[in-house]
């Protein structure tokens, strides 16, 4: 805005540069492909916006005044900066349109996602990828706020989440299982065991955890009435990886995804704390936005629908 908050038309700036270059109103108007009277009005309007005369109309050819000479290089810098800003903004838009954005729960971002993404890249050129790793609750928020295209998380038919309630499209990519594990004692059995007649020390999931939602929803129906109340919860977190670390330290037993603890079970640093029971089958799921997405995102979803990119 100029003096008196008068608006500025960017066309006037281009007109100014054309007249400064040609020194002739008619040739400058022709170069700008507008009628000379309209061109002259633009130059006068710009001078009124600046507050001084920019051209000496008594000179032949028309010449810049001292103010006009000072104004010209600064204006050229402004227009060059605007063009650079336009190019960068367009490039950022094109990059965003061509990229993929995922929100993945912490445990799946460490275990399943890298391998699954590699299977996608073997069939589809993806371009830039943005991945946010967080709790299930936070991942749902990102999807509901339309800040990501896809959410990767665990799921269970009897423990619907907010994306299920909102009927977001979903495909099952693979299966997993939550099993109770604990560090071994000196004889190789679990330090903390289910079915021992004593309330075991349990490392539990917080309210923000999708795995915790699943466990809270099904444990009494699957494992018996009042099962949850028979447990002694000694530690709570929404990261399965943190619960795994606490279990390795012998602090209690935790229901952890097989995808996370398979190596621990093989090398004996964790053992089954339920003697093969008290296991919970779960899905590994991919949710997508309901609205139409960028072409590469739609192509990825088509691969998932076709079943060629599942674990």
């Amino acid at each position: 805005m100029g003096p008196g908050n008068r608006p500025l038309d960017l066309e006037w700036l281009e007109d100014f540069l054309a007249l400064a270059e040609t020194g002739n109103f008619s040739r400058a108007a022709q170069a700008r492909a507008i009628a000379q009277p309209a061109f002259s009005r633009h130059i006068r309007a710009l001078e009124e916006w600046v507050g001084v005369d920019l051209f000496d109309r008594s000179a032949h050819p028309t010449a810049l005044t001292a103010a006009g000479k000072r104004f010209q290089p600064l204006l050229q810098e402004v227009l060059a900066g605007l063009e650079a800003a336009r190019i960068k903004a367009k490039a950022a838009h094109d990059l965003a349109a061509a990229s993929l954005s995922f929100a993945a729960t912490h445990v799946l971002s460490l275990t399943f996602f890298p391998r699954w993404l590699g299977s996608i890249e073997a069939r589809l050129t993806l371009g830039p990828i943005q991945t946010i790793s967080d709790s299930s609750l936070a991942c749902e928020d990102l999807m509901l706020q339309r800040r990501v295209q896809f959410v990767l998380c665990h799921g269970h038919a009897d423990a619907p989440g907010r994306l299920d309630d909102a009927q977001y499209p979903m495909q099952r990519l693979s299966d997993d299982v939550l099993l109770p594990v604990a560090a071994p004692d000196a004889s190789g059995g679990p330090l903390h065991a289910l079915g021992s007649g004593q309330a075991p020390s349990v490392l539990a999931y917080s309210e923000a955890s999708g795995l915790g939602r699943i466990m809270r929803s099904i444990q009494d129906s699957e494992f018996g009435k009042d099962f949850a109340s028979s447990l002694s919860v000694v530690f709570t977190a929404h990261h399965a990886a943190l619960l795994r670390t606490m279990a390795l330290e012998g602090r209690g037993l935790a229901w952890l995804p097989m995808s996370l603890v398979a190596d621990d079970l093989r090398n004996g640093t964790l053992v089954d704390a339920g003697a093969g029971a008290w296991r919970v089958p779960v899905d590994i799921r991919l949710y997508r936005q309901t609205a139409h997405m960028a072409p590469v995102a739609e192509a990825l979803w088509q691969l998932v629908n076709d079943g060629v990119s599942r674990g």
Side-chain angles (χ1 to χ4, degrees):
M1 305 299 282
N5 287 328
R6 290 194 296 270
L8 171 67
D9 190 330
L10 293 181
E11 292 291 331
W12 303 345
L13 305 181
E14 298 288 356
D15 293 341
F16 169 88
L17 293 177
L19 182 56
E21 181 180 351
T22 64
N24 182 279
F25 274 83
S26 62
R27 288 203 302 272
Q30 184 177 12
R32 294 285 293 147
I34 59 176
Q36 183 175 334
F39 181 87
S40 297
R41 288 195 298 271
H42 291 178
I43 297 299
R44 178 55 66 190
L46 177 61
E47 290 175 323
E48 291 176 356
W49 184 87
V50 174
V52 295
D53 287 341
L54 299 174
F55 292 96
D56 180 0
R57 291 164 175 76
S58 65
H60 298 283
T62 301
L64 289 168
T65 63
K69 291 177 181 178
R70 178 61 176 159
F71 186 67
Q72 183 181 21
L74 297 176
L75 173 58
Q76 289 171 328
E77 290 181 13
V78 168
L79 291 178
L82 285 173
E83 178 63 12
R86 185 193 68 81
I87 292 172
K88 290 179 180 179
K90 180 65 164 55
H93 173 271
D94 293 343
L95 180 63
S99 66
L100 293 168
S101 57
F102 293 87
T105 56
H106 287 287
V107 64
L108 289 178
S109 68
L110 295 172
T111 58
F112 180 83
F113 183 70
R115 173 172 51 84
W116 175 78
L117 188 63
S119 72
I120 292 291
E121 290 176 320
R123 297 172 174 84
L124 184 67
T125 301
L126 300 182
I129 300 169
Q130 179 191 47
T131 306
I132 301 172
S133 178
D134 214 320
S135 67
S136 180
L137 186 66
C139 290
E140 289 176 343
D141 284 338
L142 290 168
M143 178 65 93
L144 293 168
Q145 295 164 8
R146 297 183 297 280
R147 293 172 57 190
V148 295
Q149 298 161 325
F150 300 100
V151 164
L152 180 69
C153 61
H154 284 98
H156 192 284
D158 294 332
R162 290 182 293 165
L163 300 184
D164 299 301
D165 293 339
Q167 298 184 333
Y168 277 76
M170 181 274 290
Q171 285 287 349
R172 177 186 170 277
L173 300 182
S174 187
D175 53 27
D176 207 343
V177 60
L178 301 178
L179 69 159
V181 295
D185 60 18
S187 64
L191 276 173
H192 308 272
L194 293 164
S196 63
Q198 297 180 340
S201 297
V202 172
L203 311 170
Y205 294 98
S206 69
E207 293 292 329
S209 168
L211 295 178
R213 181 183 65 234
I214 293 170
M215 289 299 301
R216 288 187 295 273
S217 297
I218 61 88
Q219 57 190 1
D220 282 349
S221 62
E222 292 291 324
F223 304 148
K225 185 180 179 182
D226 300 325
F227 176 81
S229 62
S230 71
L231 304 177
S232 176
V233 176
V234 297
F235 184 81
T236 302
H238 60 259
H239 291 185
L242 178 53
L243 297 185
R244 169 183 172 271
T245 299
M246 297 297 285
L248 288 167
E249 293 294 324
R251 302 293 294 272
L253 68 85
W255 271 266
L256 296 176
M258 178 65 81
S259 57
L260 179 65
V261 298
D263 288 342
D264 298 315
L265 293 171
R266 278 192 292 269
N267 62 35
T269 52
L270 289 175
V271 295
D272 191 333
W278 289 284
R279 297 188 175 196
V280 180
V282 291
D283 299 332
I284 296 176
R285 297 177 173 184
L286 186 70
Y287 293 84
R288 62 156 288 170
Q289 283 290 346
T290 55
H292 185 76
M293 302 182 294
V296 65
E298 293 291 349
L300 183 150
W301 185 251
Q302 188 60 52
L303 283 178
V304 172
N305 278 336
D306 292 344
V308 298
S309 63
R310 300 182 187 178

